């Protein structure tokens, strides 16, 4: 399946699952409150499939998979027969209306917990938060290769993904962060990372890179992956050779080899390349050659080889729990993710985080496809995050969203009477304008900015 087709397919699957649960929450509570439900639709547009149950509710699937809705008996939506007035949503007590509206986001919140529970029971594979290379701020903060991060600001960390989330929040808040690390010798040490020193406009999508921190799993070994025909290495080095030293200076990664080649190439003459090949250690003389980067035009010394694995390294961290033990872990993780999401919204509103973090359907589709490619547990985590985001966004006090309706009903509960139709109409207009702005920003971030 191509990347485009895969992105579209997995986005449809994701939104189909999440919208179905969201609308089922509204539907289930509405029925318990005696509200008549005319239609339960997944997707928008003319139904491509539908059926009616014995209660007269039409269940439908429509071709535009970007949402869904539950249509209830409501005098504000059209004329209601006298015999069904008792089922009208608008005639129900305000607390029942609040319960019906809140049920959708609550269903997504519960789904998030269920998906994370399934992920932990199956076993979530990830990478260990072990430092591979440091420079810049990370080095100034005392981090060293081999350090394993075990806590960020007191929050226990088991994976590199969790560590990145903690560091990103601190960086956006412009505050230093306290790390607890276990060094290569097993000593428990506290490190203070000076994230407040990051320059204005740093890449919020790559905080670890801006700090000068590279994880161990991202550090490429100095293993020969390709030998270019006609290059200095042709006929001498072989695919699979692990370069260990150049003229007696140790080489532990691909990054350490490149500057050594520039140094010895500029000196002139041959260099002695030490390699490990099929269990044997060899010393091979080679003459670095001056080459030109076809993209930038920059000249550099090289041997004519490509280094690295050529594939993603194997996962080295696993989060797995039994069915009962996974329940509190999933609940705790949902709480942490909710706090992080609300923190991101707060930062964007206050200007501490870039609005580039607002994503739309294109980004959702790409992430859906990428997570599906990485395996079931990664896709379950993606669904959980998206379900939680749907719950939080729907609870924002923006008219036309569930949160806007809840705001209306809470005002009604306080003042003892509904808002006027004029006030609600004005709120709907404002809500549509806000949503249009957010959708435009999301599409800009998705499509236009990468082109510019």
């Amino acid at each position: 399946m191509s990347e485009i087709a895969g992105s579209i397919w997995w986005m449809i699957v994701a939104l189909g699952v999440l919208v179905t649960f969201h609308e089922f929450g509204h539907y289930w509570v509405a029925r318990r409150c005696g509200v008549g439900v005319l239609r339960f639709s997944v997707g928008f547009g003319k139904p491509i499939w539908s059926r009616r149950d014995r209660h007269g509710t039409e269940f439908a699937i429509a071709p535009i998979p970007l949402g869904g809705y539950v249509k209830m008996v409501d005098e504000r939506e059209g004329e209601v027969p006298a015999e069904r007035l008792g089922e009208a949503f608008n005639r129900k007590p305000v607390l029942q209306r609040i319960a019906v509206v809140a049920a959708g986001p609550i269903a997504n919140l519960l789904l998030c917990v269920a998906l994370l529970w399934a992920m932990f029971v199956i076993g979530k594979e990830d990478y260990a938060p072990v430092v591979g290379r440091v420079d810049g701020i990370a080095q100034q903060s005392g981090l060293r290769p081999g350090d394993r991060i075990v806590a960020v600001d007191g929050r226990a960390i088991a994976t590199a993904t969790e560590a990145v989330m903690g560091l990103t929040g601190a960086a956006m808040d412009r505050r230093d962060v306290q790390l607890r690390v276990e060094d290569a010798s097993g000593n428990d040490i506290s490190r203070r990372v000076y994230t407040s020193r990051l320059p204005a406009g740093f890449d919020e999508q790559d905080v670890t890179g801006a700090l000068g921190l590279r994880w161990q799993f991202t550090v490429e070994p100095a293993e020969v992956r390709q030998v270019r025909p006609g290059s200095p290495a042709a006929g001498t080095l072989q695919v699979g050779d692990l370069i260990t030293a150049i003229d007696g200076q140790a080489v532990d990664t691909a990054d350490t080899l490149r500057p050594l080649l520039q140094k010895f190439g500029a000196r002139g003459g041959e260099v002695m390349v030490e390699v490990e090949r099929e269990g044997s250690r060899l010393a091979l003389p080679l003459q670095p050659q001056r080459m030109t980067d076809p993209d930038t035009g920059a000249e550099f010394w090289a041997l004519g080889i490509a280094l690295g694995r050529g594939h993603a390294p194997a996962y080295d961290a696993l989060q797995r729990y039994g069915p009962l033990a996974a329940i509190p872990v999933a609940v705790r993780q949902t709480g942490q993710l909710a706090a992080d999401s609300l923190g991101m919204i707060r930062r964007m509103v206050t200007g501490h985080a870039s609005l580039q973090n607002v994503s739309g359907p294109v980004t959702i589709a790409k992430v859906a496809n990428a997570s599906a490619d990485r395996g079931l547990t990664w896709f379950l985590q993606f669904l959980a995050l998206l379900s939680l985001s749907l719950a939080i966004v729907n609870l924002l006090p923006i008219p036309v969203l569930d949160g806007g309706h809840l705001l209306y009903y809470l005002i009604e509960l306080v003042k003892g009477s509904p808002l006027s139709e004029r006030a609600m109409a004005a709120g709907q207009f404002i809500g549509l304008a806000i949503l249009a702005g957010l959708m435009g920003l999301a599409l800009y971030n998705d499509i236009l900015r990468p082109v510019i």
Side-chain angles (χ1 to χ4, degrees), residues 69-384:
Y69 61 93
V70 170
K71 184 177 182 181
M72 305 176 198
V73 176
D74 194 323
E75 291 176 285
R76 297 167 301 180
E77 301 292 331
E79 188 175 348
V80 177
E83 65 273 12
R84 302 201 69 177
L85 286 176
E87 300 177 60
F89 175 78
N90 63 292
R91 293 202 175 198
K92 294 298 179 181
V94 65
L95 289 178
Q96 289 191 1
R97 281 178 275 146
I98 287 175
V100 171
V101 172
I106 290 174
N108 281 126
L109 187 64
L110 294 175
L111 177 61
C112 175
V113 175
L115 291 167
L116 291 175
W117 174 85
M119 180 191 77
F120 285 127
V121 170
I122 295 170
K124 170 69 185 321
E125 292 183 314
D126 207 326
Y127 293 107
V130 178
V131 177
R133 291 182 63 83
V134 291
D135 55 30
I137 295 174
Q139 189 175 48
Q140 295 164 16
S141 301
L143 288 174
R144 298 291 180 265
D147 284 352
R148 182 188 185 97
I149 299 175
V150 296
V152 177
D153 274 344
R155 179 192 293 186
I157 293 299
T159 67
T161 301
E162 293 175 329
V164 169
M165 291 175 65
L167 289 168
T168 299
M172 290 179 176
D173 291 338
R174 295 296 189 183
R175 61 177 174 81
D176 296 337
V177 61
Q178 199 71 31
L179 301 184
R180 189 163 61 85
V181 305
E182 184 180 282
D183 67 13
S185 300
N187 300 311
D188 196 301
I189 302 172
S190 180
R191 303 283 193 204
R192 188 171 185 83
V193 178
Y194 304 111
T195 48
S196 59
R197 296 181 184 177
L198 284 169
F202 69 91
D203 186 358
E204 295 176 359
Q205 305 298 318
D206 183 23
V207 169
T208 52
L211 290 171
L213 187 161
R214 290 186 60 188
W215 300 113
Q216 189 176 74
F217 71 89
T218 67
V219 176
E220 294 279 9
E223 180 180 334
V224 179
R225 179 161 48 94
Q226 182 182 7
V227 179
R228 194 176 70 181
S231 67
T236 302
L237 294 180
Q238 299 179 8
V239 173
D241 285 351
L242 181 64
I243 300 176
T244 58
I246 297 286
D247 268 7
Q249 295 198 26
V251 172
D252 55 359
T253 67
D255 287 343
T256 56
L257 174 62
R258 296 183 181 99
L260 288 177
L261 283 177
Q262 307 318 302
K263 172 184 174 182
F264 293 127
R267 181 196 64 187
E270 291 185 337
V271 297
M272 192 62 67
V273 180
E274 299 177 36
V275 303
E276 289 185 5
R277 178 186 299 169
E278 297 178 350
S280 300
R281 300 181 68 89
L282 305 174
L284 307 169
L286 288 172
Q287 174 71 56
Q289 185 180 78
R290 195 78 166 165
M291 297 185 181
T292 303
D293 189 316
D295 297 324
T296 65
E299 294 187 339
F300 59 96
W301 294 96
L303 298 175
I305 56 177
L307 300 175
R309 304 180 187 87
H311 58 81
Y315 293 118
D316 56 1
L318 178 66
Q319 293 176 287
R320 177 182 288 162
Y321 302 87
L324 292 179
I327 295 174
V329 177
V331 171
R332 212 164 36 243
Q333 182 80 346
T334 299
Q336 291 176 351
L337 292 173
D340 290 340
S341 298
L342 291 171
M344 179 62 74
I345 293 174
R346 172 183 58 79
R347 294 181 186 104
M348 286 191 288
V349 170
T350 58
H352 288 89
S354 170
L355 292 177
Q356 294 176 3
N357 292 290
V358 177
S359 300
V362 175
T363 297
I364 292 173
K366 290 179 178 178
V367 175
N369 186 53
S371 60
D373 286 344
R374 295 181 75 173
L376 175 60
T377 56
W378 283 90
F379 189 65
L380 289 174
Q381 183 183 51
F382 164 75
L383 283 178

